C-alpha cells in the first residue's frame, strides 16, 4: 500500500465490519488522511470493527494523519493484536498507534523516528486491560504527554521493552512514558538517553502503579525527576 489517501478515515484501509479482520505480511508507505477535522484518523489503517483485528508481520513508514493514529487507529469492541510490526517516521498529532476503548496487545515490534505534534509519538493507550511487551522504541519526538507513550488505560502492562533517545517537548510530560492509568505495571524494561523538561524517562500520574526490575541510564530532565517523577498515590519502585 503506497501513496494512497483518503480525506476522512483510513488512508489505505478502513475496517468497519461485524466480524474480525486480519492484516498480515503487508507494507504501508506514504499513506495519509488529508482533511483536518476532529474525527479524521488512521493514516494507514482505521478500524472500528465489532470484533478485534490482528496486524502481524507488517511495516509502516511515512504515513500521516491530521489527528489520531498516524499508522493505525483502533476503536474496536473486540480484542486487537499487533505483532512483529515496524513503525518508522510516521507523523500525526497523537501516536503512530492510537487505541481507544478496546483491549490491545502490542508485542515484538519496533518503533523509530515517529513524531507526535501534540502528543506521544508512538502509542496513545486509552484502553483498559492492554499490554505492550518486547518492543523497541527509539528517537521518538512527542509534543505532549510522553515522548513515546501516553498510557491512560487502567490495568496496563508494559514489559521487556527498551526506550532510547525519546524526547518530550512540553512541560509536565515525560521523555519516554507518561502513565496516568491506575493499577498498572512497568517491568523488565530499559530507559536510556531520554529527555524532557520534567521526568526524563517516566512520569507516574496514575495510582497504584509499579515500576520494577528495570534500568535507567543517562536520562535527563531540565526541571524535575531526571529518570522518574511520581505524582500518583501508592506508586512503587522495586528493584530498579
Amino acid at each position: 500500500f503506497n501513496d494512497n489517501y483518503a480525506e476522512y478515515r483510513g488512508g489505505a484501509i478502513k475496517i468497519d465490519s461485524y466480524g474480525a479482520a486480519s492484516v498480515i505480511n503487508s507494507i504501508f508507505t506514504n499513506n495519509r488522511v488529508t482533511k483536518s477535522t476532529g474525527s479524521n484518523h488512521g493514516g494507514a489503517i482505521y478500524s472500528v470493527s465489532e470484533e478485534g483485528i490482528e496486524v502481524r508481520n507488517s511495516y509502516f513508514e511515512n504515513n500521516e494523519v491530521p489527528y489520531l493514529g498516524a499508522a493505525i487507529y483502533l476503536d474496536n469492541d473486540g480484542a486487537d493484536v499487533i505483532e512483529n510490526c515496524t513503525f518508522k517516521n510516521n507523523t500525526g498529532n497523537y501516536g503512530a498507534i492510537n487505541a481507544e476503548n478496546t483491549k490491545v496487545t502490542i508485542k515484538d515490534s519496533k518503533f523509530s523516528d515517529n513524531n507526535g505534534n501534540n502528543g506521544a509519538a508512538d502509542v496513545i493507550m486509552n484502553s483498559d486491560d492492554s499490554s505492550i511487551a518486547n518492543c523497541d522504541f527509539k528517537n521518538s519526538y512527542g509534543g505532549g504527554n510522553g515522548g513515546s507513550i501516553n498510557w491512560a488505560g487502567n490495568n496496563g502492562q508494559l514489559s521487556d521493552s527498551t526506550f532510547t533517545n525519546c524526547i518530550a517537548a512540553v512541560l509536565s510530560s515525560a521523555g519516554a512514558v507518561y502513565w496516568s492509568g491506575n493499577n498498572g505495571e512497568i517491568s523488565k524494561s530499559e530507559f536510556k538517553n531520554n529527555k524532557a523538561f520534567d521526568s526524563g524517562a517516566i512520569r507516574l500520574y496514575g495510582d497504584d502503579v509499579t515500576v520494577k526490575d528495570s534500568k535507567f541510564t543517562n536520562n535527563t530532565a531540565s526541571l524535575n525527576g531526571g529518570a522518574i517523577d511520581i505524582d500518583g498515590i501508592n506508586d512503587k519502585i522495586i528493584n530498579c
Side-chain angles (χ1 to χ4, degrees), residues 184-195:
E185 183 177 279
I186 300 170
S187 65
K188 299 178 182 178
S189 295
E190 184 172 359
F191 299 81
K192 185 177 182 180
N193 298 335
N194 303 290
K195 298 179 181 180

Side-chain angles (χ1 to χ4, degrees), residues 4 15 41 50 57 92-93 122 138 187-188 201 203-204:
N4 303 286
I15 301 169
H41 313 313
E50 289 194 5
N57 308 324
N93 271 356
D122 295 320
K138 63 182 179 182
S187 65
K188 299 178 182 178
R203 186 170 190 181
L204 300 180

Side-chain angles (χ1 to χ4, degrees), residues 60-64 87-91 112-115:
F60 299 81
E61 184 174 4
N62 293 333
N63 302 288
E64 296 185 23
F87 299 86
K88 183 177 180 180
N89 199 35
N90 301 285
T91 301
S112 64
D113 302 295
N114 296 301
N115 293 279

Side-chain angles (χ1 to χ4, degrees), residues 101-128:
N101 307 309
T102 185
K103 179 180 179 180
V104 61
T105 298
I106 302 170
K107 60 184 179 180
D108 304 326
S109 295
K110 296 180 179 180
F111 296 77
S112 64
D113 302 295
N114 296 301
N115 293 279
N117 295 327
N118 294 319
D122 295 320
V123 179
I124 304 292
M125 187 67 80
N126 290 328
S127 297
D128 296 340

